[in-house]
Amino acid sequence: MAFLEWRKFNFFDLKANVDDGRIASLYKECDITVATSGNNQAVLGDSCGQIHIITRFWQVTTFRAYEFKVSLAKQLRSSPLLVTVGDDDVGINPLIKVWNTTRFDKNGIPYCCRVSRAIPGVNPVAVTTLCVHEELQLMAIGFMDGSLNLYRGEITRDRGSKQKVFRVASCAITGLAFQALGPAVFLFVATESSVYMYNITHKDKEHKISLDNMGCAKNCSVLAVYENLFMIGRNNAIYCYTIDGKGPCYAVDGEKVLLEWFRNYLVIVSTTNRPITQAVAGSSSQPTSQGHLITVLDIHNKFIVFSSVMEKVRTVFSEWGSFYIIDYNNNVYHLDEKDLQSKLALLFKKNLYDLAIRIAKSQQYDSYGLVDIYRQYGDHLYAKGGYEAAIEQYIKTIGRLEPSYVIRKFLDSQHIEYLTTYLQALHKQGQAPEDHTTLLLNCYTKLNNTDSLKEFILTKDNDLDFDVEIAIKVCRYGSPEEALMLAKKHAKHDWYIKIQIEDHEKYIEALQYISRLDFQNAENFMKKYGNILIEKEPHESTQFLKRLCTNYRPVDKTDGILNGITELNQNADAEDYIHLFLNNSERLVEFLEYLISEGCVLSSPVYDTLIEHYLHVWSALEAGPEKAKYTQKILKLLQTLEVKYDKPQALVVCHMHGFSEGIFYLYEEQKLYPQILRYHVSKGDESAVLACCRRFGHQEPSLWVQALWSCVRESNSPLIDILPEILTVIAKERLLSPQQVIEAIGIAKSDVTLGHIRSYITNELQKEHDIIENNTELIDKYQTDIEKLKQQVETLKNGVVVIQGSRCAACHHQLELPSLHFLCQHSFHHHCFQSFAENENECPACLPENKKLIELLKSREYNKDLHETFHSQLEKASDGFSLAAEYFGRSVFNKITVITDDETEKILSRAKKYDGYNQYNVLKAGNRIEESAKSNYGPSAEARIRLSENIRNTPKIISTSEGKMRLQEHQYSQSLEANITKYGTRGSSSKKSESDSQVIGKNPFEDDYDDSKNPFTDDEFDETNPFSDQYDKNLNPFEP
Amino acid sequence: MSYAYLFKYIIIGDTGVGKSCLLLQFTDKRFQPVHDLTIGVEFGARMITIDGKQIKLQIWDTAGQEAFRSITRSYYRGAAGALLVYDITRRETFNHLTTWLEDARQHSNSNMVIMLIGNKSDLESRREVKKEEGEAFAREHGLVFMETSAKTAANVEEAFINTAKEIYEKIQEGVFDINNEANGIKIGPQHSPTNPSLPGAGGQGSSQGGSCC
């Protein structure tokens, strides 16, 4: 029946003579009766009543425990207590003794804490079995007659220990075992013919349960640590019992001699007919035919892990982690378990990898070791061609074994399916780097296994453990649909769009996809792919861009509408998209128009672009209503105020496209009228030139001059026809002096005929002539005035002043004496004067007038020192001369002093000096101006001006154009010079009058003097002629 | 784990019909294609619920080999239910049913519930025994019949649970003497009635049995 056995291995080595024969030497004349072990020592009892305590190093302590025989002994596992049963007398009278093996008396004998008789009732019976519970509270002894003594209480003490006797069966008790399960305690009892279990949890309530009606021999029962089985060895099998009854049964043949539990193994010693194996017999000197078979079972894995025939076994014990066997010759054998590595090696040699794995697992082999086994198993299966099974094993190595080891093996195309399985597992465990994902996806595509691929992609939802990007990348070439799906699922927008556009050329789909994205993404992707989208799908793209730039909200996002209020409308900057419409002006125009119509605030480049593209379209159009429409459109855009386009650029663009309307508008806008003019001139459009000049002439008179220049500058200018008109305006507006006009025409290259300028010249000459005549008249008048004044002065000097006033100037009554008379022809009553006058030197009637004059003069005196102001103003002033003239007019260069009576003489003398000084200064200034004028104009010009100098004597200052001013400047300086000499003479005449005491009653300065003709008087000067006033108040010789 | 009842089962049938696989499928819910021969008797347990009661099933899986017949016979006694298994792909296993049934009837108590199982129903292509034949045999001998597959787990649960139900019904009908443990039925710790017929049972029944093994 050998074939009906468990698998057999040899996991143990049986080593003979491990104690160097020391045990054998102890038993020369007696036999070992019992062996027990625990608490790091082995205990042997012999038939002479001696007990030997053996240490690990085979040192033996022997003491006599009984007089005759030790029949049973039990060394507790974790306590130094040793319980023995033996005989001290001849006959049957078993005694229980409890020893403490750590306490020795003076003779070296362990302390015996208890001695009590073991007797099941009245008559003493031979003991068969002894069992002590490890908790030291329970002890049971079985007897030959089937009785059982159960002792409760502290086993070390006789007293307090309660003994109870059970009649178990009628035959001898052969095995006892306590089993504690939580609070419950059970006692298994085996007899020669039956098995029972006692529930002894509660004292006096013991409950007997019959487990089987077959028993076993002495020593042939054991309590297995494994699943708490009580095992009984019978001839055909090992039967196991649980507290619930029968358990499993292991068929092991042979008459059992001894059962022992060691670690996870059941050691069975049974009789056999087989001869002793020489190798195992070891030191045995005489091989006997009758040996014992030692079988070690691994109950868990169901193997026979050792099996050997050896000398008859007397007893066995396990201690120090090993199992020892003592045979009848007292030889000690060591049953040594091989280490796991050698066990595994053994299994590997037999290619029993699955067993190896089972064993390794049951022995808590570390995961690295296990992985190694899996790998070996895999390798083995692979070598045998069991690829699928091999992969199964390799999958178990995931996480420890480098995947490339496996992958390399299966890279063959014929193994790709297995490889796929492996990679799938790899991914499932999240151990796959991106390369492996790539590989897996490649496998799928190679296998054409789109379903799996799809499944893989989809099921990866929960445990997203692969690089989506890689997956997409791979799928993109193999199965683009999946790639697309993947991209969509994982919101890899970029990939999705890229695939749609680049691989599928489904631009509409891409666009729709983008339109579903949120703003940020949509904007980005539009920037990225807008180019190609516009190129391929101009209409849809433009529509989308419109939305993007105005009021973007993703499509299919209903919730967006719900909280739309809180959400800010997002607008993309149109500027970013303009470049997309590179070659598509129409779309761009459409796009931008839409934006503008939506009232978007756009940046100036956008407008610029729009204008540019408008013009682009415009220039592409044929002349017609369409073109006109565009013209209107552009102009409207240009004219819209809020459109912030860049004007210079618009101008450039207009120029480029020859869009004259726009150019004009822009010129006008920028006030670049000369440009407009120039444009017209360049076009040779005389009417337009004229219209332009008329239109803008009032804003920019120089236009006319420009027109003139452009008329004459070029030969054959068509503008020659409008020359007369230009000249008329120039003449009317006095834009140019006739000299300049003539000069301009003179140097002209065009064929200006006299006919063109005849009327102008005639007019001008006529005008000049009139002026000259006017001036001559004035001169005559002044001269007569001067003559008159001279005569007056003479009268005052030398003549008699007749005071004829008959009425008082204050009360208008007839004058009565005493009265006062002033040279100013005012007379007063003395009393009137006294009550009226503030100052008795002055005429009260003239006083307010004189005071005003004096104050004015004083303020003049104050102002005249502001040289610095003058200089700075001069520097800043565009027209230096007019400024200087103004100052001169204010008499800044004159020393004006308020003259009081007592200072009269001084002033008189000073006035002389002052006159000269003044003259000199002005002359000097005049020269200087002349000099500068010389540098500006040629000598001929000067000469011409000199000619006109006398004619144009009207000192009217018109601050118009620069050119005009320049001309006047010159004239003015000349006239100044002339006038100063006049002034000088007038000053000297006043000198004369000052010294004169006789003054005619009439104020000579007030009457005939023509203020308007006097170049030195301005408005404020008019009524306050200093000469008359000074004269009046200060120099009255008749003043009392 | 506490239970209301403990039922002991025995699985019998020719060697190789899939007894051990049935047990493994029922207890561990797995299938092992290569299985070592059962040497002796193996043992499994599982809790099921019937009629809201927790019932522990203790199953002896016996060796089908003739050589172990003497060992397995001793397990009939003390079993409340038996699964008599044959292999639908091997007619001889069906033919041996009578022997097995006689054996079982002879050594077990008369009330034992026996279920006839035609295993390996997944191997339809290799079928040698028709389902009708199995049904007819079961009818003839008063057995419950079922075809199962330990590989696909088809009907495996049902086979065990239906047997348990039948036993449970018999208990309710009072057919089983639940106090005689030789019948293969044990009352769980909390259900143990005070039974004066048992020596020393008294009031300590609650502690009896403890937990499972």
Side-chain angles (χ1 to χ4, degrees), chain A residues 6 244 246-247 249 251 302, chain B residues 8 39 41 68 71 74-75 186:
Chain A
W6 286 344
D244 281 329
K246 268 185 176 179
C249 160
K302 302 197 166 61
Chain B
K8 293 182 181 177
I39 309 293
V41 178
F68 298 120
I71 296 173
S74 67
Y75 281 82
K186 201 173 155 188

Side-chain angles (χ1 to χ4, degrees), chain A residues 1 4-7 186 199 202 205 207 209 214 236-237 239 242-251 302, chain B residues 3 6 8 36-37 39-43 58 60 65 67-68 70-71 74-75 186 199 204 207-209 211 213:
Chain A
M1 288 217 303
L4 288 179
E5 275 182 341
W6 286 344
R7 249 188 245 262
F186 301 91
N199 185 340
H202 302 279
K205 285 176 186 172
H207 175 202
I209 299 162
M214 290 187 287
N236 56 353
Y239 291 84
T242 69
I243 52 166
D244 281 329
K246 268 185 176 179
C249 160
Y250 312 114
K302 302 197 166 61
Chain B
Y3 50 85
L6 179 117
K8 293 182 181 177
D36 285 347
L37 272 181
I39 309 293
V41 178
E42 277 171 24
F43 189 66
Q58 255 191 11
W60 289 312
Q65 293 277 354
F68 298 120
S70 63
I71 296 173
S74 67
Y75 281 82
K186 201 173 155 188
Q204 109 273 22
S207 63
Q208 170 201 334
S211 69
C213 66

Side-chain angles (χ1 to χ4, degrees), chain A residues 502-544:
Chain A
E502 292 177 12
D503 296 356
H504 293 189
E505 303 188 339
K506 287 180 180 164
Y507 305 105
I508 301 266
E509 276 85 344
L511 207 55
Q512 280 166 355
Y513 186 81
I514 294 173
S515 68
R516 279 193 287 273
L517 299 177
D518 59 29
F519 175 74
Q520 281 295 330
N521 281 322
E523 191 184 10
N524 287 336
F525 290 123
M526 215 48 210
K527 276 178 191 163
K528 197 164 172 186
Y529 298 104
N531 225 339
I532 190 154
L533 285 174
I534 295 231
E535 190 185 317
K536 301 289 180 185
E537 293 292 340
H539 179 70
E540 282 75 10
S541 306
T542 312
Q543 293 305 323
F544 177 70

Side-chain angles (χ1 to χ4, degrees), chain B residues 29-44:
Chain B
K29 293 189 166 54
R30 64 190 171 95
F31 177 74
Q32 203 175 325
V34 184
H35 206 284
D36 285 347
L37 272 181
T38 306
I39 309 293
V41 178
E42 277 171 24
F43 189 66

